[in-house]
Amino acid sequence: MLRDKGTIFFLLIFPILFLLLFGTLFKSTGSSHIKVAQVGQVQVLDSLTKAQDKQLSQAASVTKVSSESAALEKVRNGDYDALVRQDGDTVVLRYSAADSVKGASARATLNAVLDKANLAVTGESPKYSLKAGQVEDESVKPIQYLTPGLMGWAVASSAVFSTSLTLVTLRRKKILQRMRLSPIRAWEVVAARISMTMIMALSQTALFLLVATLPYFGLKLTGQWWLVVPLVMCGTLSLMALGLLIGSVTKTEESAGGLAQLLVLPMSFLSGSFFSLDNAPDWVQGVSYMMPLRYLVTGSEAVLSRGGGVSDILPTMGGMLAFTAVVTALTLRFFKWNDT
């Protein structure tokens, strides 16, 4: 493996490129900014102080227009997210149903402005105050949720592909048969393959954490983050078992690579490697529970990003080891020393 520079690139460097790409794309995230067209005079907006106007500009850009019909057409076309005008004491808001998120943002923004205006008219101090904030610590960044998913995908790809392709190559070139006839014992061959794959998986983990914790990305390791090491080891065993099964039922490197790709790519999407499954249909979430990669991703997220501990990953590790036992039993059923 060390002699093959292409293998090193695709197993170690290529996954890191995805982390750099997604980490850079999602490095800065913010709330949705809306564009509002103001028709004529709207007292509640025109009477804002400089401080209030600055605060409003963080959520919305208000542009004064003269023609309501032209502005409505631009709202329908998406040039504006909403239109606002005043009819007596009533402030009228018009928005397109094509984007419910922007419409909800426009309603919430205008409601906040109206509440402050009504409070100023009554001259009474509010009895209650609202202090809103996110449930996560303000230091939490997207990289803390991207790293566990992409790292799990990288470990899955290397474990499944390298194991399945190696097994097929050894059997097709009669090397596996010669090993069987040599003084080398079977458990030594298996231990060597597991050790090599473990070293690769732990190297990937170290590289991901090293890159993600750079000041540019700012990954903050929380809780007992070192528990990711036994977690990755259990995940590697389960994914290696899947690779051995693929290598046992296929006869050529092409078919092994194709079947591995057919399983790893959908498994990555269905296990939450690239996006959260919180809003996925129930049947998708049900299917994901049968995939070892889901347990690796959720367990890594728990110890790296959510301050989790041993109690959070023990069930996860148990699920991956159970998957390993079941798939290994199937592998023994289909395993062959040679193609004949």
Side-chain angles (χ1 to χ4, degrees), residues 120-274:
V121 171
T122 59
E124 297 179 359
S125 300
K127 184 178 182 181
Y128 303 101
S129 62
L130 174 65
K131 183 178 181 181
Q134 61 186 45
V135 294
E136 300 88 0
D137 185 84
E138 290 184 358
S139 62
V140 173
K141 300 177 181 179
I143 193 67
Q144 294 188 237
Y145 298 96
L146 291 172
T147 302
L150 293 176
M151 185 179 70
W153 164 74
V155 171
S157 298
S158 63
V160 174
F161 278 90
S162 63
T163 304
S164 59
L165 292 175
T166 299
L167 180 58
V168 171
T169 301
L170 294 178
R171 185 173 62 241
R172 188 177 61 82
K173 293 183 176 181
K174 309 298 182 182
I175 298 175
L176 198 60
Q177 187 174 1
R178 290 198 292 271
M179 284 182 175
R180 187 185 184 189
L181 300 175
S182 71
I184 300 176
R185 287 167 289 186
W187 72 266
E188 293 176 320
V189 177
V190 174
R193 183 67 251 179
I194 292 177
S195 299
M196 184 65 231
T197 308
M198 285 291 182
I199 291 173
M200 181 60 66
L202 293 176
S203 299
Q204 289 175 318
T205 303
L207 277 176
F208 265 84
L209 296 182
L210 179 63
V211 173
T213 52
L214 291 174
Y216 178 76
F217 295 112
L219 172 64
K220 302 295 182 181
L221 297 176
T222 61
Q224 303 175 37
W225 65 268
W226 52 268
L227 289 172
V228 75
V229 174
L231 189 67
V232 167
M233 294 177 70
C234 290
T236 302
L237 284 176
S238 64
L239 294 160
M240 275 191 70
L242 186 59
L244 288 173
L245 179 60
I246 294 172
S248 298
V249 299
T250 55
K251 295 184 177 181
T252 65
E253 290 87 346
E254 290 79 8
S255 59
L259 183 55
Q261 184 70 19
L262 186 63
L263 292 178
V264 170
L265 189 59
M267 181 171 61
S268 299
F269 282 100
L270 295 175
S271 299
S273 292
F274 301 115

Side-chain angles (χ1 to χ4, degrees), residues 56-57 64 106 110 116 137 145-146 194 254 279 309 314 338:
L56 176 63
S57 64
K64 293 185 177 182
L110 187 58
K116 291 182 179 180
D137 185 84
Y145 298 96
L146 291 172
I194 292 177
E254 290 79 8
N279 297 322
L314 281 180
N338 51 57

